[in-house]
Amino acid sequence: MFVRVGFILSVFLLLLNVVSAQKKTAPPRPSQTSDTVRVVQIKKTNTFYYKTIDSVTQLQILSGNVEVWQGGTKFFADSVVYNEKTNYMQAYGNVHINESDSVNIYSQYLQYDGTKKLATFRDKVKLSDGNSTLYTDEMDYDMNGKVGSYKDGGRIESKQTTLYSKQGFYYADIKDVYFIGNVKMSDPEVALASDSLLYNTSSQVATFIAPTTIKSGNSIINTREGYYDLKFKKAKFGARSRMQDSTSTMIADDFAFDDKTGYGEAKGNVQYKDTAQGALLFSNRVFFNKTNKNFLATEKPVMVVVQNKDSIYIAADTIYSGLMKDLAQFKDGYIRAFDTVKGTKLLKVDSLISKDSSQQLQQDIAVTDSIAPVSVKDSVVAPVVTAKPILKKDSIVDNKPPPLKTKPTLVRSDSSNLLPKDSNAVAIADTVFQRKRSKAETDTLRFITAFRHVRIYNDSLQAVADSLFYSGVDSVFQLFHDPIAWSKGSQITGDTIYIFTENKKPKRMYVFENGMLVQSVKENAEFFNQIKGRTINGFFVDGELNYVNAKGTAESIYYAQDDDSAYIGMNRTTADMIDMFFKKRSPQKVKYTSSVKGTTYPIRQLPAEQKKLQNFKWLESKRPKNKLELFL
């Protein structure tokens, strides 16, 4: 009895161990979630039936309001053919796929591999992610990676923006579209053409990765890398990009700008060309407004006022330039200017020259209009000798002063010796009052301001100053704070200097307060022709100094020559006004007016203290020697 019970108990324990071992080694069944992800589930249809093609293939036919699910993806269509064994589906008519409620795809035909989760859409394909819509005729879509692609042309419409390309890849998770081949973008404010482009439908940022042309307003931009934010109208470009419009071109290593305001910045070997004004700018950093066409250049800026043979180069620590129409509006001899304290106010045009200089300049006009440069064949006119020079017996034959070309005579402005007018007289009234210009001219005329360490180079004229203003209206360079100007062998200094140009060449120079002209005599480094006055007017012919008028306690020193061009004496004279005429940079005629006092010294008995006027300085070391040094 006990033996039978023990045997039964042993068998029971053995069976229990076997069952336990089977539970540990048997493979787990697929979970319900895994099945629903792989298997296509039929949720709804009007008609359903099976169709057997052969003994192996059996198809499920669904028609009318078909709804099929696979995991979180929902399929809708007019009809569906489904092979359960291969997990392959074809859908026809009004196909619609909803991907996790974020992406919707529409077409008229679908092929779908449920195992690999790969779909091919054909005929009127449309993909929408809530931000934009993609249109194409055929698209492949990988539901694992959520990546759609097309190869035969497609476009994306996002609000007011449309992008087209031959080929494209759409990344649903990050909302990026990679366009390849014949890429074109149109927007109410921007048009674009490229070979490749990356666009985010959410942020509306277009990223450039290939040569790209962008048209924004009147501007055309060429770049190879960068981005354009279509939502905020901001952009940044690199790789030596170019921005141009009908009147200007700017090239730089890097650009950044706001299309709404027009403000931007260019960095790295910036080159700007104003074709309307014939101006060039070179700098390493430029802040600009592409709408108003103004700019502020820093980091070694050099501006070039271009002409065929003799361009004007301007260098400074900072250069600012804009259009005259934005600086002031001319009307009936007045301008409407902005005052930081009183606001907008009217100023008369001639008051722009200087507070104290307008009346003086008008007086100078009355005088200089009655004086014309005379033929250099005329004899030199020298002042009366009022002090007898001390001569050494062994230096002068017969103890007589050296002869001049003619007997010295005094020429007064109220005498019959007034120089007659002729066709070469310089009319300067038109440099004071603004001539009338067409709107087309005033819309493109430019002004230039330069600050700190200003240097100017031109074959005919060079200058330095602390600051400068140049107006395209009257072509006048205004130099402030210890300016110095050089023309050939002449040096001009004063508190303020105006240089009037015509066809980019100096035509007239006006010096306010403490004016002085110094001219080196090449044959002797110690000899300098000098003329000094409260104001100085200088006139040029073909870039050569032709005539100088000094007013207000005027003084002069010049070295006279004989018929063989040998220097024979020095004349030092003071007068209320002095006129000096030049030929080949040398004085050929001198005219003194009112309160004349002067002395002529033989060349071999020149008192050292009389050789130089007060405050004489020879500043040749500061003179720009060539245009290249302005770029250093």
Side-chain angles (χ1 to χ4, degrees):
M1 180 71 179
F2 287 104
V3 174
R4 179 178 291 181
V5 172
F7 174 78
I8 294 172
L9 183 59
S10 298
V11 172
F12 175 77
L13 292 174
L14 179 62
L15 292 173
L16 184 62
N17 289 333
V18 170
V19 172
S20 177
Q22 288 177 345
K23 286 184 178 181
K24 290 180 180 180
T25 59
R29 295 181 60 190
S31 66
Q32 184 65 25
T33 303
S34 177
D35 286 344
T36 56
V37 170
R38 289 189 70 254
V39 177
V40 174
Q41 301 176 3
I42 300 171
K43 289 294 185 179
K44 183 176 69 174
T45 181
N46 292 345
T47 304
F48 175 84
Y49 63 91
Y50 285 94
K51 181 176 181 181
T52 303
I53 303 299
D54 51 43
S55 57
V56 178
T57 304
Q58 188 177 54
L59 303 177
Q60 299 179 22
I61 310 297
L62 301 85
S63 62
N65 296 318
V66 179
E67 181 179 345
V68 177
W69 288 15
Q70 185 184 40
T73 304
K74 302 175 182 178
F75 299 81
F76 305 88
D78 290 345
S79 59
V80 170
V81 178
Y82 177 57
N83 187 326
E84 186 176 12
K85 183 175 182 179
T86 60
N87 200 17
Y88 189 85
M89 180 176 67
Q90 289 180 299
Y92 303 88
N94 298 312
V95 178
H96 174 202
I97 290 183
N98 178 252
E99 177 90 43
S100 302
D101 295 326
S102 60
V103 176
N104 290 280
I105 306 174
Y106 306 85
S107 71
Q108 294 302 309
Y109 174 75
L110 165 69
Q111 292 181 356
Y112 181 68
D113 186 332
T115 303
K116 297 180 180 180
K117 300 189 70 175
L118 299 176
T120 298
F121 299 87
R122 294 178 185 170
D123 193 8
K124 299 180 181 179
V125 181
K126 181 174 72 172
L127 183 153
S128 176
D129 61 6
N131 297 303
S132 61
T133 303
L134 186 154
Y135 297 90
T136 184
D137 286 334
E138 182 173 342
M139 182 180 71
D140 295 329
Y141 191 83
D142 183 349
M143 294 188 180
N144 290 305
K146 296 184 179 180
V147 178
S149 63
Y150 59 87
K151 298 180 181 179
D152 295 318
R155 74 181 190 278
I156 281 188
E157 295 182 1
S158 177
K159 296 183 178 179
Q160 295 180 316
T161 303
T162 300
L163 291 106
Y164 168 87
S165 70
K166 182 67 176 177
Q167 184 178 357
F169 296 87
Y170 172 81
Y171 302 88
D173 279 346
I174 57 177
K175 302 295 187 293
D176 272 351
V177 185
Y178 180 29
F179 296 94
I180 303 173
N182 195 25
V183 182
K184 295 180 181 179
M185 183 183 79
S186 62
D187 183 88
E189 299 179 8
V190 180
L192 179 151
S194 179
D195 182 68
S196 300
L197 175 72
L198 189 64
Y199 179 73
N200 188 277
T201 62
S202 178
S203 65
Q204 298 182 48
V205 173
T207 303
F208 316 116
I209 53 179
T212 303
T213 300
I214 305 165
K215 184 175 182 181
S216 174
N218 295 325
S219 299
I220 296 176
I221 302 164
N222 298 102
T223 185
R224 288 182 294 157
E225 67 176 43
Y227 71 83
Y228 193 103
D229 189 328
L230 292 165
K231 182 184 295 184
F232 296 103
K233 305 301 179 185
K234 294 182 179 181
K236 186 174 183 180
F237 309 114
R240 203 73 190 144
S241 300
R242 175 194 300 264
M243 181 186 300
Q244 62 185 16
D245 57 25
S246 59
T247 60
S248 63
T249 301
M250 183 179 288
I251 304 173
D253 292 343
D254 297 287
F255 277 103
F257 68 87
D258 186 331
D259 230 352
K260 288 184 177 179
T261 62
Y263 288 104
E265 180 182 0
K267 294 194 299 183
N269 193 19
V270 183
Q271 298 177 19
Y272 175 82
K273 181 178 181 180
D274 185 335
T275 54
Q277 289 292 290
L280 294 173
L281 172 72
F282 302 90
S283 180
N284 281 323
R285 192 174 189 183
V286 176
F287 300 90
F288 63 90
N289 186 306
K290 69 187 189 75
T291 303
N292 297 334
K293 298 185 181 301
N294 55 34
F295 59 78
L296 176 71
T298 62
E299 298 185 16
K300 298 183 178 180
V302 177
M303 193 158 186
V304 185
V305 182
V306 180
Q307 62 180 17
N308 292 334
K309 296 180 179 180
D310 196 12
S311 298
I312 300 173
Y313 293 77
I314 304 169
D317 290 353
T318 303
I319 294 178
Y320 177 81
S321 180
L323 299 182
M324 287 298 300
K325 68 183 182 68
D326 297 324
L327 179 68
Q329 297 176 353
F330 288 84
K331 183 179 180 181
D332 300 329
Y334 288 83
I335 63 167
R336 190 173 299 278
F338 182 77
D339 186 282
T340 55
V341 177
K342 299 180 180 180
T344 302
K345 63 179 181 180
L346 290 174
L347 295 176
K348 196 161 183 59
V349 176
D350 61 339
S351 69
L352 295 178
I353 295 175
S354 172
K355 284 184 178 180
D356 303 323
S357 62
S358 180
Q359 183 178 0
Q360 179 64 50
L361 189 55
Q362 294 290 345
Q363 294 173 359
D364 291 340
I365 291 171
V367 174
T368 55
D369 273 356
S370 65
I371 300 173
V374 298
S375 171
V376 294
K377 293 181 180 179
D378 294 344
S379 58
V380 173
V381 179
V384 171
V385 178
T386 57
K388 183 177 180 180
I390 300 174
L391 304 176
K392 293 182 179 180
K393 290 184 179 181
D394 56 352
S395 62
I396 304 295
V397 179
D398 297 330
N399 199 26
K400 294 181 180 180
L404 297 177
K405 290 182 179 180
T406 61
K407 182 180 178 180
T409 58
L410 175 63
V411 179
R412 298 183 182 276
S413 61
D414 56 353
S415 72
S416 60
N417 294 343
L418 263 178
L419 299 175
K421 276 191 175 183
D422 64 11
S423 58
N424 294 322
V426 181
I428 63 173
D430 60 340
T431 63
V432 180
F433 297 101
Q434 167 61 29
R435 73 174 179 85
K436 293 183 179 180
R437 295 179 182 268
S438 66
K439 184 178 185 300
E441 284 182 298
T442 56
D443 282 352
T444 58
L445 290 172
R446 181 171 290 280
F447 70 89
I448 302 169
T449 58
F451 306 95
R452 307 295 180 268
H453 305 105
V454 176
R455 293 170 293 161
I456 300 175
Y457 181 85
N458 173 268
D459 289 343
S460 303
L461 184 77
Q462 301 83 45
V464 298
D466 177 77
S467 54
L468 167 149
F469 178 85
Y470 171 81
S471 165
V473 172
D474 50 21
S475 299
V476 177
F477 288 88
Q478 302 176 25
L479 306 175
F480 305 98
H481 302 293
D482 301 321
I484 311 167
W486 295 268
S487 175
K488 306 300 181 181
S490 301
Q491 170 190 290
I492 301 97
T493 57
D495 291 355
T496 302
I497 297 177
Y498 280 14
I499 302 171
F500 297 78
T501 64
E502 185 175 72
N503 297 324
K504 309 299 192 301
K505 287 187 177 182
K507 180 179 180 181
R508 175 176 172 251
M509 181 181 297
Y510 192 85
V511 185
F512 301 100
E513 304 298 334
N514 301 311
M516 179 180 284
L517 182 146
V518 179
Q519 189 179 62
S520 65
V521 177
K522 292 185 177 180
E523 290 79 356
N524 193 319
E526 296 182 0
F527 293 172
F528 295 92
N529 294 319
Q530 302 158 57
I531 185 167
K532 183 180 179 181
R534 185 171 64 84
T535 63
I536 289 180
N537 264 296
F539 298 88
F540 299 81
V541 174
D542 294 329
E544 294 275 0
L545 189 63
N546 178 263
Y547 162 61
V548 170
N549 169 264
K551 289 190 64 177
T553 317
E555 300 178 70
S556 71
I557 291 176
Y558 79 91
Y559 290 82
Q561 296 173 275
D562 60 18
D563 292 334
D564 296 326
S565 298
Y567 287 95
I568 56 177
M570 183 195 81
N571 176 270
R572 178 163 180 160
T573 304
T574 61
D576 287 346
M577 184 171 71
I578 300 175
D579 299 294
M580 188 176 289
F581 302 90
F582 296 84
K583 178 184 179 182
K584 295 182 179 179
R585 312 177 194 175
S586 298
Q588 293 295 299
K589 184 177 292 253
V590 182
K591 172 179 170 291
Y592 300 88
T593 304
S594 185
S595 303
V596 181
K597 295 180 181 180
T599 304
T600 299
Y601 299 94
I603 198 68
R604 297 182 182 180
Q605 295 185 358
L606 299 180
E609 69 277 6
Q610 298 296 320
K611 288 183 180 181
K612 297 175 182 178
L613 298 176
Q614 187 177 5
N615 298 325
F616 169 90
K617 291 181 181 179
W618 183 242
L619 304 168
E620 186 69 15
S621 60
K622 295 185 177 182
R623 183 178 189 171
K625 301 302 186 296
N626 58 69
K627 60 189 176 185
L628 296 179
E629 73 175 49
L630 272 62
F631 292 88
L632 300 178

